[in-house]
Amino acid sequence: MSKVIIKGHLYSQPTRAVVWACKLLGIPHEFKFVDLAKGENRSEEFIKTYDFGRIPVISHGNFNLQESHAILRYLCEAFKPEGSTLYPSDLQQRAKIDEFLDYHHLNLRASAGPFVRLLVFGPLAQAGASPKLSNGTSNEVRKKVEAEAKEKAKEQEIILRRCSSGLSDILHTMDRRLSQAPYLAGTGQPTLADISAFCELRQLMLMPFSPSPVSFPNVAKWINTLAATSEAQEVEGPLVRLLDKIPRPANNPLSKL
């Protein structure tokens, strides 16, 4: 069977989940970098094949597929590696895995994603793009720039406050689940639900400031177990190196949330 072509960016949580699954399943694959900063995912050439304009995407022979959870399920079905527990054939076990995968997008990702987007990638994208105020800048221009910055900070605080509350509820739910079984679908081995959720939460632990999953003992144990695997360490590498470069401000921007 032909190898899978994965197109994405390893700063992307869903991309990391797909690459990790390929490694665990022993699927021959090739990774092709999509430069989001240059808008390659919105280019005419990309949209022609992948009309959502999002990553990750895969090509497998003449078959193209979008959306990480659909991709993860497809990979397990297309390759059916012997002994894999990522997506078992048992109907009820699959239903529990699908249950959490469906919950993930509108809950875990919706609450965790903005922390990374606003506190990591937003500032990186704006670096050097902010207006330069010199001694010759008029007071009127200076006041306008400062007012816009304050308004943006206020909007960001509202978003992060809402996400912080949502994330806390989700972590409580996950902690209860993980007090009853080692993994999220009630299984004794990791599944697709764990891979996807791990990639979402692990990045929060690597950030300078965020609601920390380590406050939830069962979640922390689960994360540490998965983080110790060689596959997790490999796919996390680029993000870890990026986050290590981010300055840690003296004041926690989330302290009042």
Side-chain angles (χ1 to χ4, degrees):
M1 187 175 284
S2 60
K3 68 180 177 181
V4 173
I5 306 299
I6 306 170
K7 299 178 183 179
H9 195 307
L10 288 177
Y11 290 171
S12 152
Q13 172 273 326
T15 298
R16 296 196 301 278
V18 169
V19 173
W20 187 4
C22 280
K23 292 180 180 296
L24 285 175
L25 295 168
I27 296 174
H29 63 281
E30 177 184 345
F31 182 77
K32 293 190 175 181
F33 174 73
V34 177
D35 194 332
L36 303 180
K38 293 182 179 178
E40 289 182 355
N41 59 309
R42 298 187 299 275
S43 68
E44 183 177 346
E45 180 182 2
F46 192 92
I47 295 295
K48 188 187 301 182
T49 305
Y50 310 105
D51 57 351
F52 295 166
R54 300 166 65 89
I55 58 166
V57 298
I58 65 166
S59 293
H60 186 208
N62 294 322
F63 178 67
N64 302 306
L65 189 62
Q66 307 173 80
E67 289 297 313
S68 64
H69 290 171
I71 293 170
L72 291 171
R73 293 180 180 110
Y74 171 78
L75 293 174
C76 288
E77 285 294 295
F79 289 87
K80 295 184 182 296
E82 186 177 351
S84 173
T85 60
L86 288 184
Y87 201 51
S89 58
D90 181 85
L91 179 61
Q92 292 187 352
Q93 286 185 335
R94 281 197 172 190
K96 295 302 290 183
I97 295 168
D98 290 337
E99 174 186 64
F100 199 88
L101 288 174
D102 291 349
Y103 172 81
H104 179 130
H105 271 315
L106 291 178
N107 294 277
L108 179 55
R109 182 148 184 78
S111 292
F115 285 99
V116 181
R117 187 176 70 252
L118 294 175
L119 298 180
V120 178
F121 298 119
L124 288 175
Q126 293 169 7
S130 301
K132 304 297 183 183
L133 301 181
S134 65
N135 291 333
T137 302
S138 69
N139 287 336
E140 183 179 349
V141 171
R142 190 180 297 275
K143 287 180 181 179
K144 181 180 179 182
V145 170
E146 291 173 351
E148 290 174 349
K150 287 181 180 179
E151 184 62 28
K152 189 169 185 177
K154 186 184 298 184
E155 292 173 358
Q156 176 174 301
E157 180 180 333
I158 292 172
I159 293 171
L160 293 180
R161 184 184 298 277
R162 182 177 65 246
C163 290
S164 180
S165 175
L167 185 57
S168 179
D169 290 343
I170 292 162
L171 288 169
H172 276 292
T173 298
M174 292 178 64
D175 205 63
R176 283 195 299 271
R177 280 198 169 213
L178 293 168
S179 70
Q180 300 166 8
Y183 297 99
L184 291 169
T187 57
Q189 298 293 329
T191 70
L192 296 181
D194 298 287
I195 289 177
S196 190
F198 169 86
C199 290
E200 199 78 67
L201 287 178
R202 173 66 170 153
Q203 61 192 7
L204 295 185
M205 294 177 68
L206 296 170
M207 289 173 59
F209 303 111
S210 67
S212 179
V214 298
S215 302
F216 299 83
N218 298 305
V219 173
K221 180 180 178 181
W222 168 80
I223 287 178
N224 289 333
T225 298
L226 293 172
T229 65
S230 58
E231 294 86 0
Q233 292 172 14
E234 186 175 352
V235 298
E236 281 189 320
L239 182 66
V240 171
R241 289 190 289 274
L242 170 72
L243 295 176
D244 280 344
K245 298 176 183 177
I246 296 175
R248 296 173 181 259
N251 297 315
N252 187 337
L254 302 183
S255 61
K256 55 187 176 182
L257 297 185

